[in-house]
Amino acid sequence: MHARRRSRRLILTALAGLGALLAAVGIYIWLIPAVADTAARRVPVAWEERLGRAAAEQLAPPEKRCTDPEVTRAVATIMERLSRSIPENRYVFRVAVVNDRRVNALAAPGGHILVFRGLLERAKSPEELAGVLAHEIQHVIRRDVTRAILRHVSAGLLLA
């Protein structure tokens, strides 16, 4: 009788563990992204700007930034033209050129965009750079990075 009871308890414990695991996976796959998407739409732009400024300063401190006025002016001109074409723009875009040979650009929350010098050197035309910058602008406008941060924090809370 005891063996039968133990066997039943073991099966119920295994099923409860499997149920908890499936619930956690469901929360991770569906609930966290849904909550993060909803929360990202409600995050104030001022909060995003502070977060983005901190991220940009961490990723590209002043001593790593390009100070060549010709380079910064060219990038700023492209950004100005692109940002003027955005309807109902809530962001002030700030672009920094990072003295780094990587061929990349990235968006931080709140309108901060970092362009790595390697991308500028490899770009075949101003239009090619404008395409990359337009892509990064969309990340800001769609709040992709803010949403990713909220998902990451929520997943961390789930694991804790």
Side-chain angles (χ1 to χ4, degrees):
M1 187 71 162
H2 290 295
R4 187 181 221 183
R5 186 185 252 171
R6 243 182 303 184
S7 177
R8 178 186 249 169
R9 232 183 248 165
L10 182 61
I11 290 171
L12 289 174
T13 302
L15 287 174
L18 180 61
L21 178 64
L22 290 174
V25 168
I27 289 169
Y28 183 77
I29 291 175
W30 292 293
L31 185 62
I32 287 176
V35 169
D37 291 349
T38 301
R41 287 192 296 271
R42 289 172 170 70
V43 170
V45 171
W47 182 85
E48 282 187 293
E49 288 172 351
R50 283 192 303 273
L51 180 63
R53 186 177 329 114
E57 288 172 5
Q58 183 75 29
L59 295 168
E63 64 271 7
K64 284 183 127 185
R65 294 185 184 198
C66 173
T67 56
D68 181 341
E70 188 175 316
V71 171
T72 55
R73 188 172 31 256
V75 173
T77 300
I78 293 171
M79 276 303 296
E80 185 180 318
R81 289 185 67 197
L82 289 171
S83 60
R84 275 197 317 251
S85 68
I86 302 168
E88 299 178 31
N89 181 17
R90 301 183 303 171
Y91 297 97
V92 175
F93 289 97
R94 295 166 189 88
V95 182
V97 177
V98 184
N99 282 321
D100 189 309
R101 303 217 26 109
R102 284 181 267 190
V103 181
N104 201 3
L106 59 92
H112 295 271
I113 297 175
L114 302 176
V115 178
F116 293 90
R117 193 165 190 121
L119 175 66
L120 297 177
E121 292 168 357
R122 286 267 188 95
K124 295 179 178 91
S125 68
E127 291 79 16
E128 191 172 66
L129 177 60
V132 172
L133 291 172
H135 174 87
E136 298 306 327
I137 287 171
Q138 285 301 306
H139 282 306
V140 171
I141 291 170
R142 294 176 41 144
R143 296 180 155 191
D144 292 339
V145 179
T146 302
R147 189 178 5 263
I149 290 168
L150 292 170
R151 285 180 183 177
H152 181 74
V153 168
S154 299
L157 290 174
L158 174 66
L159 292 173

